[in-house]
Amino acid sequence: MTDTLTELSAERVLILDFGSQVTQLIARRLRESGVYCEIWPFNADPARIAAFGARAFVLSGGPASVTEAGAPRAPDIVFEAGVPVLGICYGQQLMCAQLGGEVQGSEHREFGRAFVEVTDDCALFHGAWQKGAREQVWMSHGDRVTRLPPGFRTVGVSEGAPFAAIADDARKFYAVQFHLEVVHTPHGAQLLRNFTHNVVGLSGRWTMAGFRAAEIARIRAQVGRGRVICGLSGGVDSSVAAVLIHEAIGDQLTCIFVDHGLLRQGEAEEVERTFRERFNIALVHRDASDLFLAALDGVTDPEVKRKTIGRLFVEVFEEEAKKFGGADFLAQGTLYPDVIESVSFTGGPSVTIKSHHNVGGLPERMRMQLVEPLRELFKDEVRALGRELGIPDSIVGRHPFPGPGLAIRIPGAITREKLDLLRRADAIYLEEIRNAGLYDAIWQAFAVLLPVRTVGVMGDQRTYDHACALRAVTSTDGMTADVYPFDMGFLTRVANRIVNEVRGINRVTYDVTSKPPGTIEWE
């Protein structure tokens, strides 16, 4: 955490991660309630944990069993620091095992929706759950607590967990067997807020306005009179980073927009218009579409596509950067999830991070320092910051768009003809979504040009043309997704427009695949 944010984030909470696929959601819920928090691996150096000065600890869930030898444990400092602790799922079992209780494997496992009977009141439940109520929660456990440590009492039970919620009011230690960070536990966010605001006594001072002021001061202190270059894609992250840095250092910033020819319809023009005209930011627009399409000619493997695009992007970017006689700093839109995903939290191999973020540092040949103003933020916070900075909602509210662009939305070989077809079909789809007032209700929508051609009849002629698929999903966290339930009238209207207006496409399908939990990036 940067020094300039110390005052803003003085009321900080430390989340220790034991490998749960939804640990990030804990942090998101705390941030949403105005509480600054960070996620560290469970095996972080105890001295570093002590220096962090957390006002409270949260122990996440995880896939291990506390009954097995070598299972992850919480550092003793967590329970000896004299601050409140909240254990969730594995965190509850761990808390009980380390404080003198007992955990056993159970024949009665609970996965998915369950119900907790509230057997007593406690500070964790204030204003959300009442004694005697039956509340829906989301369970995911096999082991269960069978004996409480000294000082704890039971405040909630479920069919598979006799100690579904427990409390040690004197030490302000609380634990739940269910996941209160997911939307499937309806009052979970309120329970987390009760822990941070009522139990811990935090005021919730973490705001985007405060972050903006503090980060501008930090950028000025870091950069001084140096020059900064920023790779601008027109996406949310790089756009917000560029505008924030420009607000801090003005014309010391130059943005380089590498147009790889794989963007959506009209996106290159929007980048030019927004950043040159609205924000008066120095912008270099390099049209490298011929170079990228030549390198992708005949390439069908999606991973080879990604790596080819990533390699060329860096080469073109460096080529343009050299024209300035060298810069001192490189700005990146690295987000907090990128930082988290680049660390192995459970002792296994690190999660693969997004290829366009050098979280671990820059190649030595670039001889620049990194400026990463969004490094402490989640995606929803970046959007809020963008609105705080006055960036148009057409950019900050934009659906996620992958770095390789349309290349991975054209399975098989890429051609200019296919790109043109997909751009037009995609533009019609998004236009109809906006016309229907549905854009903000959908987390991501896009068209895919399928690697098949189909026979059709249009009027008095047979056609042999391409088919495209439409996808739209809803999500509150980017970790799971459900299909958006368009009515048939909408889908029929979109399909008719695409077939009639895009010569070369004669069939449109709707993809009803949902995104499973545990995967981070959705494309």
Side-chain angles (χ1 to χ4, degrees), residues 150-261:
F152 281 86
R153 62 191 177 95
T154 304
V155 292
V157 302
S158 73
E159 184 177 347
F163 305 106
I166 60 176
D168 180 334
D169 305 284
R171 289 184 289 182
K172 297 185 178 181
F173 289 176
Y174 296 87
V176 294
Q177 183 58 74
F178 52 89
H179 286 278
L180 42 68
E181 67 271 33
V182 300
V183 295
H184 306 82
T185 299
H187 297 289
Q190 180 61 48
L191 299 186
L192 280 169
R193 182 182 177 88
N194 283 344
F195 176 71
T196 57
H197 289 63
N198 298 343
V199 174
V200 185
L202 305 183
S203 61
R205 68 176 70 175
W206 174 257
T207 66
M208 280 303 101
F211 177 88
R212 173 186 181 180
E215 190 60 24
I216 285 173
R218 189 201 67 78
I219 293 168
R220 288 172 178 165
Q222 179 187 6
V223 172
R225 296 181 178 275
R227 299 182 65 187
V228 180
I229 57 171
C230 174
L232 185 64
S233 69
V236 178
D237 305 341
S238 65
S239 297
V240 173
V243 174
L244 181 64
I245 294 169
H246 184 258
E247 188 167 302
I249 62 173
D251 59 10
Q252 292 170 247
L253 169 71
T254 298
C255 290
I256 299 175
F257 172 40
V258 177
D259 184 351
H260 50 32

Side-chain angles (χ1 to χ4, degrees), residues 285-356:
H285 180 183
R286 168 71 182 275
D287 184 352
S289 55
D290 289 344
L291 176 66
F292 279 84
L293 294 181
L296 292 169
D297 185 32
V299 177
T300 59
D301 186 284
E303 284 306 307
V304 176
K305 288 180 182 178
R306 288 173 184 272
K307 291 176 181 178
T308 300
I309 293 167
R311 173 181 57 79
L312 285 177
F313 185 92
V314 172
E315 290 175 2
V316 173
F317 184 86
E318 288 184 313
E319 183 181 318
E320 292 298 322
K322 288 177 182 176
K323 295 178 182 179
F324 297 98
D328 307 290
F329 299 89
L330 173 67
Q332 287 193 159
T334 307
L335 305 190
Y336 194 44
D338 301 318
V339 178
I340 296 169
E341 292 160 28
S342 68
V343 178
S344 174
F345 278 28
T346 55
S350 296
V351 178
T352 301
I353 63 172
K354 297 177 184 176
S355 59
H356 59 290

Side-chain angles (χ1 to χ4, degrees), residues 416-479:
R416 291 184 184 275
E417 178 200 11
K418 289 181 180 180
L419 285 167
D420 184 52
L421 292 176
L422 181 55
R423 282 195 186 96
R424 288 154 58 200
D426 188 71
I428 290 170
Y429 182 34
L430 294 181
E431 180 184 338
E432 288 295 333
I433 287 174
R434 288 191 172 94
N435 289 344
L438 300 175
Y439 191 84
D440 292 338
I442 296 169
W443 189 72
Q444 189 180 45
F446 57 88
V448 174
L449 194 68
L450 299 177
V452 295
R453 301 185 77 175
T454 65
V455 175
V457 176
M458 298 181 68
D460 297 323
Q461 295 182 328
R462 285 189 177 276
T463 61
Y464 182 58
D465 287 327
H466 294 276
C468 81
L470 308 178
R471 171 174 284 177
V473 294
T474 60
S475 180
T476 58
D477 48 42
M479 299 282 288

Side-chain angles (χ1 to χ4, degrees), residues 458-513:
M458 298 181 68
D460 297 323
Q461 295 182 328
R462 285 189 177 276
T463 61
Y464 182 58
D465 287 327
H466 294 276
C468 81
L470 308 178
R471 171 174 284 177
V473 294
T474 60
S475 180
T476 58
D477 48 42
M479 299 282 288
T480 60
D482 291 321
V483 175
Y484 186 82
F486 289 122
D487 62 63
M488 284 305 299
F490 174 87
L491 291 174
T492 300
R493 183 166 64 252
V494 173
N496 284 342
R497 279 198 62 190
I498 291 174
V499 170
N500 286 328
E501 298 176 30
V502 184
R503 185 179 295 273
I505 293 179
N506 69 357
R507 189 176 301 274
V508 177
T509 67
Y510 183 55
D511 183 358
V512 295
T513 305

Side-chain angles (χ1 to χ4, degrees), residues 65-127:
S65 169
V66 299
T67 64
E68 296 175 354
R73 292 175 59 86
D76 291 338
I77 188 175
V78 169
F79 305 114
E80 297 170 354
V83 300
V85 182
L86 173 65
I88 299 174
C89 197
Y90 181 84
Q92 185 207 47
Q93 298 166 7
L94 191 69
M95 181 184 290
C96 289
Q98 290 188 219
L99 296 179
E102 186 175 280
V103 178
Q104 295 181 353
S106 173
E107 300 258 337
H108 192 127
R109 300 184 299 169
E110 283 184 305
F111 291 95
R113 185 175 288 103
F115 292 89
V116 167
E117 302 289 341
V118 182
T119 58
D120 208 348
D121 294 321
C122 76
L124 202 63
F125 300 160
H126 182 71

